[in-house]
Amino acid sequence: MEAEIVSRAVAAATALAGELHLRVDHAAVIHNSNKLALRLLPCGVFARVAPVGQEVAALEVELALRLVETACPVTPLEPQVEPRVYERDGFAVTFWTYYEVVSPDPDFPGAYAEALQRLHTGMRNVEIATPHFLDRVAEAERLVTHRNETPALTEADRHLLLGTLQSARERINSRGAPEQLLHGEPHPGNVLNTRDGLLFIDLETCCRGPVEFDVAHVPEEVSARYPDVDQVLLAECRRLVLAMVAAWRWDIRDEFPDGHQHGRDILSLLRQGPPWPALGALVAE
């Protein structure tokens, strides 16, 4: 978000917090992208703020409530206020429990894999309408096809991305793997290492698909610990995820820092061919 929008978003969140009897003397910006992550002090509450209509906050709230009931390792909503989406000045605001991040255990990859497996196990018990992972693939294909939305993408790179997205999608479908509710992007940037163990955040990307699609987002030392993975399917999911992320980096609305360079790096990897690196390895760099 631009500075002016950030200022308005912070004002909206702090005003709402005050109305909910949460004391806020300062709002620290933790993350700023398409949505704003704030730590409200001294109440210690975590707030997520996004322009109304550019978020899926209601889905995140419902998912968090349902997943906490199944003991899934996810961050819960803030218990001091009603668990819902609040709106102020054109912004949607949700309030969450804040967790201090601690140093990872020596066996962090094993703990990461175990937490992801527990998340998937709990998600199998939750029935909720979410997009299919192929809906996200279709959106990436649309971006690549529409030159006005990805004007800086060269024709050679456009052809590479479109061909990769289509062929990976077809090969994944041919495996006929069982599907379930997924996190959608459980890469290291969406995992908190807390005193209560590893917790997953950012549920706005939840979708349905094979578990290998989620596993494709984690570092290889983590995926190696996840049991009963279809390795052929995992490789195709990694290729698909790389192509999707590369497509997003060329979207004229993308706010990822140095996004075009990140996109070029992924295009180079796609040209080099397999073995495909896990997205989690790139996020961690």
Side-chain angles (χ1 to χ4, degrees):
M1 296 184 187
E2 297 178 357
E4 180 183 352
I5 299 177
V6 169
S7 179
R8 289 178 47 224
V10 170
T14 54
L16 282 168
E19 293 174 4
L20 296 169
H21 308 292
L22 299 172
R23 182 182 169 187
V24 181
D25 297 332
H26 175 65
V29 176
I30 297 176
H31 184 69
N32 176 18
S33 59
N34 59 323
K35 54 187 173 295
L36 201 63
L38 304 172
R39 186 185 182 190
L40 307 180
L41 298 167
C43 66
V45 173
F46 182 83
R48 287 166 61 89
V49 192
V52 171
Q54 297 182 27
E55 35 63 48
V56 289
L59 175 62
E60 281 192 278
V61 167
E62 184 177 359
L63 275 167
L65 292 171
R66 302 274 292 276
L67 292 174
V68 167
E69 288 178 354
T70 65
C72 279
V74 298
T75 52
L77 291 148
E78 172 53 46
Q80 298 181 71
V81 300
E82 181 183 351
R84 66 178 180 86
V85 181
Y86 297 83
E87 292 189 12
R88 170 67 66 90
D89 191 27
F91 294 98
V93 183
T94 50
F95 297 98
W96 303 78
T97 300
Y98 177 81
Y99 286 87
E100 292 283 355
V101 175
V102 300
S103 298
D105 295 328
D107 186 27
F108 178 74
Y112 194 159
E114 190 270 338
L116 184 58
Q117 186 182 16
R118 284 198 296 118
L119 178 66
H120 288 155
T121 299
M123 282 181 155
R124 293 187 193 108
N125 299 315
V126 175
E127 289 295 331
I128 188 171
T130 61
H132 193 268
F133 83 105
L134 290 181
D135 294 339
R136 299 176 65 194
V137 179
E139 174 59 21
E141 290 182 3
R142 190 190 66 79
L143 277 173
V144 175
T145 302
H146 288 70
R147 291 170 174 77
N148 61 314
E149 296 190 41
T150 51
L153 191 61
T154 69
E155 289 307 304
D157 291 342
R158 197 179 302 277
H159 179 76
L160 171 65
L161 283 180
L162 194 58
T164 302
L165 290 165
Q166 293 173 345
S167 64
R169 180 191 62 206
E170 292 169 359
R171 292 177 185 177
I172 289 169
N173 275 335
S174 71
R175 301 298 292 181
E179 298 183 347
Q180 66 158 82
L181 182 64
L182 303 173
H183 180 284
E185 290 186 3
H187 56 67
N190 282 334
V191 181
L192 297 181
N193 195 54
T194 76
R195 291 184 178 85
D196 294 336
L198 269 65
L199 299 175
F200 291 91
I201 62 172
D202 205 352
L203 300 174
E204 69 175 356
T205 56
C206 282
C207 57
R208 293 195 63 82
V211 294
E212 284 81 1
F213 182 74
D214 262 3
V215 178
H217 289 77
V218 305
E220 292 182 13
E221 61 268 26
V222 177
S223 63
R225 310 285 190 93
Y226 194 101
D228 303 321
V229 170
D230 180 336
Q231 294 297 327
V232 174
L233 180 56
L234 176 59
E236 286 303 322
C237 284
R238 282 179 176 157
R239 184 164 75 110
L240 178 72
V241 168
L242 289 173
M244 289 170 59
V245 173
W248 297 334
R249 294 294 79 90
W250 296 99
D251 186 348
I252 57 174
R253 297 157 295 189
D254 187 56
E255 297 180 358
F256 191 88
D258 202 14
H260 283 182
Q261 184 58 54
H262 189 230
R264 282 190 287 269
D265 292 343
I266 296 176
L267 286 165
S268 294
L269 292 172
L270 291 173
R271 284 197 171 87
Q272 290 171 20
W276 311 109
L279 179 66
L282 304 181
V283 171
E285 289 179 354

